[in-house]
Structure formats: C-alpha cells, structure tokens
Amino acid sequence: MMDTAVDTTATRTFIEVSEVWAPQDGVLRLAGGNYGHRTEFEAISGRESFGKGEGLPGKAWAEGKPIVLKDFDGSYFKRTEAAKEAGLKSAVAVPVFDGADLKAVLVVLCSDGEGRTGAIEVWAEHDGLMMLDDGYYGAAKHFEWVSQHTHFPRGQGLPGGVWASQTPVLMRDLGSGYRFIRADSAGRAGLTTGLGLPVPGPDGKACVLTLLSARGTPIARRFEVWDARAAKVGSKGGAELIDGICEREGPLWTDDTQQEPRRTSAWQGVIGRVLGTGAPVAEKCAPGIGPGYASVVALPIHRDGAIAHIVAWYC
C-alpha cells in the first residue's frame, strides 16, 4: 500500500473538529474526539453530557437521523460561547444505530472562516424521491441553491446511487463526471470528490449522508471504504478495503494483483476497533500509525444486526 507521508499543515480541512458521544447511564458522554489545538473547547466538552433530545447530539438521538446546525447563535447548541471562542460556527450530528440500539453519535464541527467551500448534506426519501433534508455548504451558495432544487430517483446521482445500493459510494471528478447530476455547479464551486453513505435509523426510513470535498478546503485528505459483510470477508469476519481516494496522484494502493487484499480483523487498528465495538472512532493518529495523517474518523454502517461497511476519512 502506498503510504507516503503527507504534509498535514498545507491546507486546513472543511471539518475542524470531530467527536464521538456514546450512551452511558441514560445520557450521552464524550467517548473520543479530535480537537486539534482547541484544548479549552475539548475540556469543556469532556465535562458535558446530553440527555435524549438535549443539545445537538441528543437531538440526533431523539430524531434518529443526522441533524445539521448551520449557526449556533440562538439555537439549542449547549456549547455556543466555547465554540465561538474556538472559531467554530456549524455542526452536523450523525447517529449510529444498530436497529433500535444507539451505538453513538458522531458530531463534526466546521469553522466560521470565509471562503471555505465544501458540503455536508442529509438526503431523505419523500414520495419515492431522495430530497435534500438539510445541508451545510460554507461559501458554496450557488451549489446550495441548486441542491435545494434537485431531487433524485432511486439509482440516480450520488444520493440515489447510495439509496439503491445501500452501500457507501465514492465519486471522483464531480465537476466533470456524468454520474454526478449537479456536475456543472459542483465544478464552479470547486468540488472534486464525493462520499455518500446510508444512515440507517430506527424507523427504517431511507436516509443518505453526502460529504463533498473541494481542493482548497477538503473534507479530508484521504477516504476509505471497508466491506465487512460476510459475503465479502467469509466466516472469519473482519473487513476488506474495497475503495479509497487520497489527495496525492496515483492509486490508493499498489497495482500488484498478486498481493493479498488489504484486510483487518476485530480490534486490529482503528478499523478493527470499530468492528469490535460497533461504534465510530474519532481521534488523533498516533505517531507512526497510518499514512502520515493527523486525525482519523471511522464510521460504521449497521445492517441486519451486523456491521456491513465502515467508511474512514483522514486529515
């Protein structure tokens, strides 16, 4: 695998902070996160807890779907002042359910810097079409307007493709790709890479999360998709890396077809911990671990009582 070092100081990513809130004694408590230099916000978060329906993590728990909060002022967000001091303005909370059982809530927070372009979208099924439920786009205002006025039948575009396959989908070259319906406006916004993933909820309704990345302020510098379905990995379990993309040129792994597929098992590395716990991970990368990135988020997708896929992104 081509794990060359990456200069993590070159570009700030669209997502600045990632954190995992896990159920404990009837409330959500901080189970991990990557805060970068925002040590005060991290300390305040570590003292916080959320009941069902309380704050952003609690609201995602109660509603059973991803929640977008574009501005903290005047909202139900409990850490508004601390977030302001840390330069954070908006957030998206993604609940991870295994059937009706909540495993954790992943929260990603974005800064208030001008000119930061990207998109975190939530799509939901309405009357046989995938419609935009909400999204945060930074400076990509025209692309936001186009998205609000676009809908997808099953199998069409990134949201429709994820809906039809019930699997994560990576798309390259959004501005020129014929499969990406909003290619023209994506090109104008500088969006280049898209990751779509199903977000199963306790009500069984179709929901898709899309992360759209621009070169100037990428969502992340590397994406990976792991398949954990028994049909793929066999009776021994584990997960196999089936797709990925990173900011440097060339394939994510070598072209040597004689090599064994990249696999991992429960409790082996970050992906293995997700397999073992069924919950997401958000943390700083340990020195010497991974391909030279500063932080990692790994998010499981549960289906039929087991983890079907894991998506991971590195910054």
Side-chain angles (χ1 to χ4, degrees):
M1 193 163 184
M2 298 170 59
D3 286 351
T4 55
V6 174
D7 180 6
T8 58
T9 64
T11 307
R12 288 176 62 191
T13 52
F14 189 68
I15 294 173
E16 296 275 3
V17 169
S18 302
E19 50 187 22
V20 174
W21 297 86
Q24 180 182 342
D25 300 326
V27 298
L28 295 173
R29 299 188 187 277
L30 188 65
N34 174 55
Y35 294 84
H37 64 276
R38 297 170 174 83
T39 55
E40 181 61 26
F41 184 69
E42 180 177 8
I44 290 171
S45 300
R47 298 191 292 269
E48 192 59 85
S49 64
F50 299 94
K52 192 172 185 177
E54 184 181 20
L56 181 58
K59 189 173 177 65
W61 179 11
E63 296 198 12
K65 66 175 185 178
I67 302 293
V68 178
L69 190 54
K70 298 178 183 178
D71 198 321
F72 298 149
D73 285 336
S75 74
Y76 48 82
F77 194 79
K78 291 177 64 176
R79 298 168 285 164
T80 298
E81 290 305 315
K84 275 187 176 181
E85 291 181 8
L88 302 169
K89 179 182 180 180
S90 58
V92 179
V94 184
V96 177
F97 283 94
D98 180 5
D101 180 27
L102 179 73
K103 291 294 187 178
V105 177
L106 172 70
V107 177
V108 297
L109 298 100
C110 302
S111 79
D112 56 1
E114 293 185 3
R116 297 176 66 74
T117 298
I120 306 174
E121 304 174 314
V122 180
W123 298 84
E125 189 269 328
H126 296 284
D127 300 323
L129 295 170
M130 195 60 66
M131 310 282 287
L132 184 68
D133 190 65
D134 208 347
Y136 176 68
Y137 297 84
K141 300 304 181 185
H142 179 262
F143 185 77
E144 179 177 8
W145 183 89
V146 170
S147 301
Q148 291 168 345
H149 294 82
T150 304
H151 53 266
F152 297 92
R154 186 187 293 268
Q156 187 179 74
L158 182 55
V162 173
W163 181 22
S165 66
Q166 291 300 302
T167 65
V169 174
L170 261 176
M171 278 191 176
R172 287 94 163 152
D173 301 321
L174 298 186
S176 58
Y178 70 94
R179 294 173 58 206
F180 195 73
I181 306 304
R182 298 168 286 165
D184 181 65
S185 55
R188 284 194 273 170
L191 299 171
T192 57
T193 305
L195 171 65
L197 56 143
V199 184
D203 60 4
K205 293 182 179 178
C207 182
V208 172
L209 179 74
T210 56
L211 306 176
L212 308 180
S213 193
R215 280 197 179 90
T217 51
I219 294 285
R221 295 182 174 87
R222 176 187 180 99
F223 295 99
E224 297 176 347
V225 178
W226 295 77
D227 195 332
R229 294 173 295 182
K232 186 72 175 180
V233 299
S235 58
K236 292 183 179 180
E240 180 180 322
L241 181 62
I242 60 169
D243 200 2
I245 192 170
C246 58
E247 63 181 4
R248 56 185 168 71
E249 295 298 323
L252 188 62
W253 48 83
T254 67
D255 292 326
D256 185 358
T257 57
Q258 301 304 311
Q259 289 186 336
E260 289 295 317
R262 180 65 182 261
R263 295 196 179 195
T264 192
S265 56
W267 306 108
Q268 180 183 355
V270 171
I271 302 301
R273 271 193 284 134
V274 175
L275 287 169
T277 64
V281 169
E283 63 186 24
K284 294 180 181 178
C285 288
I289 302 299
Y293 296 98
S295 64
V296 59
V297 174
L299 182 66
I301 301 165
H302 292 262
R303 186 160 303 282
D304 300 326
I307 295 178
H309 293 87
I310 298 170
V311 296
W313 57 90
Y314 297 77
C315 298

